[in-house]
Amino acid sequence: MADLQNKVLEKTEKVKCKYGSSCYQKSRDHRKRFHRDDSCPSDEGSDPPLKKQRSNNAKKSARDSETLEMVLSREEAHKIIKEKLGVEMPDCFYEVWEFCRSLNAEQPLDALKSAGLTLVGPYDILAGRFTGKDLSRASCLRHCRYFYDPPEFQTVLQGNKRTGFHIGYFRDDPDSLPVFLASNKAEEGYHISPQGENLFAAIMLYIAGELKSTGSKDPSKAAALKGISKQLKEWLESSKLDIPLENKTKKMKQRDKKMVCKLFHGAGLVVPLDSNDVGYREVPETPGDLRKMLKSVMAAATDAERMQAFEPIQELVTLVQFANDECDYGMGLELGLDLFSFGSEYLHKTILNLLPLAYQFLQRDLFGEIITAHLEDRQKGSKLSVV
């Protein structure tokens, strides 16, 4: 009895957790600082097992009426995402999830819907949409992967389906954390636009852009956007998170200095160089001339004409082989990514001859696995979920 009284007393000295019994956090440190609405003993002792819960009062989700909300520790979520997608997610990924849970605990994937955004990709794992699904590795890697998304890009927010707008993390190496957030409008082309260093910044920049374009034309939409912006700022302030919200941070500028070329999509290429600059040599064609070559391949009326138009590109592939022999692996990566961005199925075979090998040489094998899976079933449009 005395032990129970001590626990009750200790609980009253803690701050009440705003998520209550459905709290996402299960670490000892979190339980030391916050208490929940359930019984005292649940706040002490060993971590509870992984569990799933369905809310009896949850409204039918527009995306999936059978969605289960999983109560996972960050460590457990990290493990599952690593297993399914092969990468580690940064802190801001999980912080945005907690922010969205604070807005809509029943359906956090739809918490930003009033602003025109839906959480997708690895967030579907946190929401339990992968649970019980027998998915191949290739299917997991294709999940929410838009037509022009290179392996370096990982979609986490879906916007306007008419334009194919989406936001994702961009990383140079699959074993490293992302270097920035970026956006793309898949129905308009391959251009990738950097959107801040973290996901909060990307959301705020998106809202600012939407408010600028909406103006007074749609007062209700403007009010919804301002509301989300206000809630996000208040949440960051109350959580005491020191998160930069500018479009271009010092870290991003430092990466710009390491870029060896811009690539068609504009996000740039970073590869390791030794003291003698071995590691990269440029493709000996200007971007404009390379686009003309590729357009000639697309415009060919017969297979014979297409093979003839392809000869200059085959010469570039031969030069890549020479570059690989001399450890300038970046050349093959540049050419392969530019061919991918161009978007023609006639180039897929050549892309698969270039990119998986380049990624292997650069010890970025997961990216080679992603490009192979993507080209097996490269889809246009926004219906790209595998669950």
Side-chain angles (χ1 to χ4, degrees), residues 352-367:
L352 289 174
N353 286 335
L354 290 169
L355 286 185
L357 184 61
Y359 285 131
Q360 181 182 344
F361 284 143
L362 291 165
Q363 298 181 5
R364 301 174 182 179
D365 297 68
L366 177 65
F367 287 164

Side-chain angles (χ1 to χ4, degrees), residues 148-329:
Y148 290 110
D149 289 355
E152 291 82 0
F153 191 105
Q154 183 178 38
T155 301
V156 292
L157 290 173
Q158 183 182 75
N160 189 319
K161 294 183 179 181
R162 181 180 58 81
T163 63
F165 178 83
H166 56 291
I167 294 173
Y169 286 103
F170 192 98
R171 63 186 87 211
D172 294 314
D173 190 307
D175 294 327
S176 300
L177 291 174
V179 287
F180 57 81
L181 273 292
S183 65
N184 168 254
K185 295 180 179 179
E187 297 302 316
E188 298 180 6
Y190 49 69
H191 183 68
I192 293 174
S193 302
Q195 300 292 324
E197 184 180 314
N198 62 82
L199 192 49
F200 286 104
I203 294 171
M204 291 298 289
L205 289 167
Y206 162 81
I207 290 175
E210 288 293 293
L211 284 171
K212 185 176 180 180
S213 62
T214 300
S216 59
K217 292 181 291 185
D218 190 342
S220 62
K221 181 180 179 181
L225 289 165
K226 290 177 181 177
I228 293 291
S229 176
K230 182 173 182 287
Q231 288 172 306
L232 190 150
K233 290 177 181 177
E234 289 175 349
W235 193 87
L236 286 175
E237 184 177 349
S238 66
S239 301
K240 293 181 170 52
L241 294 175
D242 184 18
I243 293 180
L245 297 179
E246 59 264 38
N247 184 23
K248 196 88 166 181
T249 65
K250 181 179 179 181
K251 181 179 176 181
M252 293 170 69
K253 292 176 182 178
Q254 289 173 341
R255 178 190 178 270
D256 286 348
K257 296 178 181 179
K258 298 178 182 178
M259 283 169 39
V260 295
C261 64
K262 291 192 68 174
L263 295 173
F264 279 5
H265 60 52
L269 177 66
V270 174
V271 293
L273 304 175
D274 69 11
S275 57
N276 296 315
D277 286 339
V278 173
Y280 171 78
R281 69 180 66 174
E282 65 182 11
V283 174
E285 295 289 347
T286 66
D289 287 341
L290 181 56
R291 288 189 186 92
K292 289 179 182 178
M293 292 180 187
L294 299 176
K295 287 178 181 178
S296 296
V297 173
M298 286 284 292
T302 66
D303 288 342
E305 289 180 6
R306 187 167 293 107
M307 289 180 65
Q308 184 175 1
F310 197 81
E311 287 179 1
I313 298 172
Q314 185 56 51
E315 291 178 8
L316 294 178
V317 173
T318 300
L319 292 177
V320 167
Q321 293 171 348
F322 293 148
N324 286 341
D325 290 340
E326 298 178 9
C327 300
D328 286 329
Y329 307 131

Side-chain angles (χ1 to χ4, degrees), residues 105-171:
E106 303 291 357
Q107 296 293 342
L109 295 174
D110 295 331
L112 303 178
K113 215 162 189 176
S114 62
L117 295 174
T118 304
L119 276 64
V120 296
Y123 281 120
D124 287 319
I125 293 177
L126 296 188
R129 301 187 75 226
F130 275 59
T131 304
K133 304 288 175 60
D134 185 17
L135 299 171
S136 68
R137 170 75 164 182
S139 293
C140 291
L141 296 179
R142 278 194 299 269
H143 179 57
C144 294
R145 185 160 291 279
Y146 281 74
F147 188 81
Y148 290 110
D149 289 355
E152 291 82 0
F153 191 105
Q154 183 178 38
T155 301
V156 292
L157 290 173
Q158 183 182 75
N160 189 319
K161 294 183 179 181
R162 181 180 58 81
T163 63
F165 178 83
H166 56 291
I167 294 173
Y169 286 103
F170 192 98
R171 63 186 87 211

